[in-house]
Amino acid sequence: MSRDFKTYRKSLSVDILFPPPLAITKDKQLSAKIKLRPYNFILKSIRGKNLLVLGATGDLGFQVISQALEASYHVTILIRNDKNLPLESHHLRNPNLVIITGSVLSREDMNKAVEGQDAIINCLGPRALWTSDIDICSRSQKIIIESMKFYGVKRIIVVTSQGISGNDKQVGRIQSFFGFNFTGKVISDKELQERYIKENSDFLEWTIIRPGKLYNGELTGHYKLNENFALMKISRANVAHFILKELQTGIWLKRTPTINGY
């Protein structure tokens, strides 16, 4: 599959793996395409750095998964179907990847995905403004939090947008900067999503990341972090890099950093 960006090993600790078996999947339809391992193989294999990545079919989700697997994390993804799964064959052959098909709006499916995780990385966003996905972030976040509480998973990193809780002038600049794909409705839904997270601060160990305008560029490891409103472009590879770095350090715990390129 041709993509206009690449992943790199820069600034990430990478363990050398032996040639891996094929990926694990709990979906029968997908198992026709990907060789299955026994279910007890999943239980014995996933230890330590267990991540659930939501929004796996998007370009940011792809970067998070790719870099996390490079860094030897055990990655679980919850997807509606495999039609738009952007992963390459070497990702699917990685034994640290678990694929679950289901809906982020289903508590049962979310429970399957959250069980046994150490952290959740939420990159969900609406597919298009004219679909029912316009409020997917807030609707799914409530379910995610319920499942996290049920299984005692506290750490979550969520990607929202700059302009949250901003004034009218800032929101206007956001709409102008992002164009048609970011309107007031999307920002309002992401604001509601953030509110759900912060209301559960007594349990959740959260970091909310607000990026500038995302594009599919290379990983440079150079970006600006602060809590100010500043609209600049930032590559998805660099956002994914920061997500994994924050996962390790927790420097921005219960804070809302903005991330922009230079």
Side-chain angles (χ1 to χ4, degrees), residues 7-252:
T7 57
Y8 294 82
R9 294 174 183 256
K10 294 179 182 177
S11 303
L12 289 174
S13 58
V14 180
D15 296 332
I16 304 300
L17 300 176
F18 291 104
L22 294 180
I24 307 158
T25 174
K26 297 180 183 178
D27 178 67
K28 293 181 179 179
Q29 182 177 0
L30 193 58
S31 67
K33 301 179 181 179
I34 303 174
K35 186 178 179 180
L36 282 172
R37 295 283 168 176
Y39 184 72
N40 61 358
F41 175 82
I42 299 176
L43 297 179
K44 292 177 181 178
S45 298
I46 301 179
R47 295 291 185 269
K49 303 181 294 183
N50 302 321
L51 304 181
L52 170 61
V53 179
L54 302 172
T57 57
D59 285 342
L60 178 57
F62 170 85
Q63 281 292 336
V64 172
I65 294 165
S66 181
Q67 293 185 33
L69 290 175
E70 289 264 355
S72 298
Y73 282 95
H74 299 277
V75 179
T76 298
I77 61 175
L78 176 62
I79 57 174
R80 279 178 273 210
N81 57 65
D82 65 322
K83 292 181 180 179
N84 297 317
L85 192 62
L87 301 180
E88 309 284 357
S89 59
H90 68 278
H91 296 126
L92 296 175
R93 288 195 299 267
N94 195 314
N96 290 344
L97 177 65
V98 177
I99 302 171
I100 302 175
T101 55
S103 171
V104 295
L105 299 178
S106 164
R107 175 66 189 276
E108 181 180 359
D109 293 341
M110 188 61 68
N111 280 352
K112 292 177 184 177
V114 170
E115 183 180 9
Q117 304 302 330
D118 296 315
I120 314 297
I121 298 175
N122 187 355
C123 304
L124 286 168
R127 290 178 298 175
L129 296 180
W130 53 86
T131 71
S132 58
D133 280 351
I134 194 70
D135 59 351
I136 189 70
C137 295
S138 62
R139 291 166 63 202
S140 62
Q141 192 61 62
K142 295 180 70 173
I143 297 170
I144 294 165
I145 292 171
E146 290 171 358
S147 293
M148 291 178 70
K149 286 185 174 181
F150 185 79
Y151 287 108
V153 181
K154 294 188 175 184
R155 187 65 168 121
I156 184 169
I157 297 178
V158 182
V159 180
T160 60
S161 171
Q162 293 190 44
I164 306 298
S165 301
N167 56 40
D168 292 340
K169 184 177 180 180
Q170 289 177 337
V171 172
R173 287 179 59 195
I174 284 282
Q175 293 183 19
S176 176
F177 185 71
F178 286 99
F180 182 69
N181 288 328
F182 262 76
T183 68
K185 289 183 179 180
V186 177
I187 294 175
S188 295
D189 186 61
K190 287 186 174 292
E191 187 169 12
L192 185 58
Q193 177 188 22
E194 288 195 9
R195 192 179 81 189
Y196 291 152
I197 295 167
K198 293 175 181 179
E199 286 176 349
N200 289 274
S201 289
D202 57 335
F203 174 79
L204 296 178
E205 297 175 353
W206 56 265
T207 301
I208 296 172
I209 300 173
R210 297 171 174 173
K213 188 172 184 178
L214 297 170
Y215 71 97
N216 292 334
E218 294 183 352
L219 169 59
T220 65
H222 301 293
Y223 40 79
K224 293 183 290 186
L225 297 168
N226 52 53
E227 292 183 295
N228 301 323
F229 180 84
L231 288 175
M232 297 183 70
K233 292 183 178 181
I234 179 74
S235 74
R236 291 179 173 89
N238 278 332
V239 175
H241 179 269
F242 171 61
I243 288 172
L244 295 180
K245 184 176 181 180
E246 169 60 19
L247 194 63
Q248 295 172 355
T249 65
I251 292 175
W252 294 87

